[in-house]
Amino acid sequence: DVQMTQSPYNLAASPGESVSINCKASKNIIKYLAWYQQKPGKTHKLLIYDGSTLQSGIPSRFSGSGSGTDFTLTIRSLEPEDFGLYYCQQHNEYPLTFGSGTKLEIK
Amino acid sequence: EVQLVESGGGLVQPGGSLKVSCVASGFTLSSYVIHWFRQAPENGIEWLAYIHTDSRYTHYAETVKGRFTISRHNAKNTVDMQLSSLRSEDTAMYFCAREMPIAAIFDSWGQGVMVTVSS
């Protein structure tokens, strides 16, 4: 199975700042990485797939980069609604696997 | 509005069985592959199984193969998963999700249903 190592576990930032979340795969997953946001009382929201493709309806302050084994989600100019849990998921092979999550909190 | 709603969770004893269901609305269920996932408290998300549009193909994670069975009833807009031989480590929130035409990514998820395995 492809192990996904996500960092940091916790992240605190203020509105207006930029943050980055990293995801490292245990083997080459080419470009096939997705990012999701999870908030209490809401369903998981797809943000990015294929490493850098922005899902329809997602603000352009979200961006993804990387290939092979190393990927990054960057959120520029944080908005209050951006705080929550973020997960990466490799979609290159089965079993699909996820990172352990990053909790983005308000500083 | 695209919506997935899970039901059927609850408390079950070790070794017991339970069926969780996922009801779809706002889209044509028969056109989409549906997956199940789970998330234990303080744990990440674990993929469990998928079922193709016409039920021809199913695929399971090794941790649940032989114990969980996924099925679908397109006319009823429902995808079920029968959970059997349950263990304490199966305690988790269970989610269904719709796969996008681009493989293995998910643009719509349910809110989840809690399954607790305990004596």
Side-chain angles (χ1 to χ4, degrees):
Chain A
D1 299 2
V2 182
Q3 305 303 315
M4 305 301 295
T5 302
Q6 192 173 334
S7 63
Y9 182 73
N10 280 312
L11 187 54
S14 301
E17 292 184 339
S18 295
V19 296
S20 291
I21 299 170
N22 301 300
C23 196
K24 187 174 185 69
S26 61
K27 61 189 278 190
N28 183 2
I29 57 170
I30 313 171
K31 66 175 182 177
Y32 299 112
L33 186 96
W35 292 96
Y36 298 87
Q37 179 193 66
Q38 184 182 19
K39 301 183 71 167
K42 297 205 167 182
T43 62
H44 299 73
K45 180 185 288 188
L46 174 65
L47 304 172
I48 301 271
Y49 60 92
D50 287 352
S52 61
T53 301
L54 195 66
Q55 168 67 346
S56 175
I58 301 301
S60 58
R61 63 180 181 274
F62 290 88
S63 64
S65 62
S67 63
T69 60
D70 293 287
F71 298 83
T72 300
L73 172 70
T74 300
I75 313 171
R76 293 181 293 104
S77 301
L78 279 166
E79 297 283 344
E81 62 265 28
D82 297 338
F83 295 93
L85 277 165
Y86 290 83
Y87 292 94
C88 62
Q89 176 227 326
Q90 63 83 14
H91 56 102
N92 184 56
E93 63 180 62
Y94 282 90
L96 305 177
T97 48
F98 291 76
S100 55
T102 294
K103 188 173 185 179
L104 177 57
E105 297 179 303
I106 301 174
K107 188 185 288 184
Chain B
E1 180 195 2
V2 172
Q3 199 169 13
L4 295 167
V5 179
E6 300 92 341
S7 63
L11 175 65
V12 60
Q13 293 190 335
S17 298
L18 194 69
K19 185 176 78 170
V20 289
S21 297
C22 172
V23 176
S25 61
F27 67 99
T28 303
L29 179 67
S30 58
S31 298
Y32 291 86
V33 177
I34 300 294
H35 295 240
W36 281 95
F37 301 82
R38 67 185 177 189
Q39 191 168 10
E42 305 304 317
N43 280 15
I45 303 166
E46 180 185 7
W47 171 80
L48 298 177
Y50 72 71
I51 185 165
H52 264 249
T53 54
D54 60 0
S55 304
R56 185 176 303 183
Y57 299 110
T58 58
H59 188 43
Y60 296 90
E62 287 299 320
T63 53
V64 303
K65 190 181 290 185
R67 299 189 302 124
F68 291 8
T69 303
I70 191 170
S71 60
R72 65 192 294 159
H73 313 277
N74 288 335
K76 296 182 180 180
N77 292 315
T78 300
V79 177
D80 296 327
M81 191 160 67
Q82 180 72 39
L83 287 56
S84 303
S85 302
L86 284 162
R87 309 163 181 165
S88 59
E89 55 264 36
D90 295 317
T91 294
M93 187 75 79
Y94 284 72
F95 299 90
C96 60
R98 182 181 84 166
E99 181 179 315
M100 286 177 62
I102 301 168
I105 54 175
F106 309 96
D107 65 344
S108 184
W109 295 66
Q111 297 258 20
V113 63
M114 188 67 200
V115 173
T116 303
V117 184
S118 175
S119 54

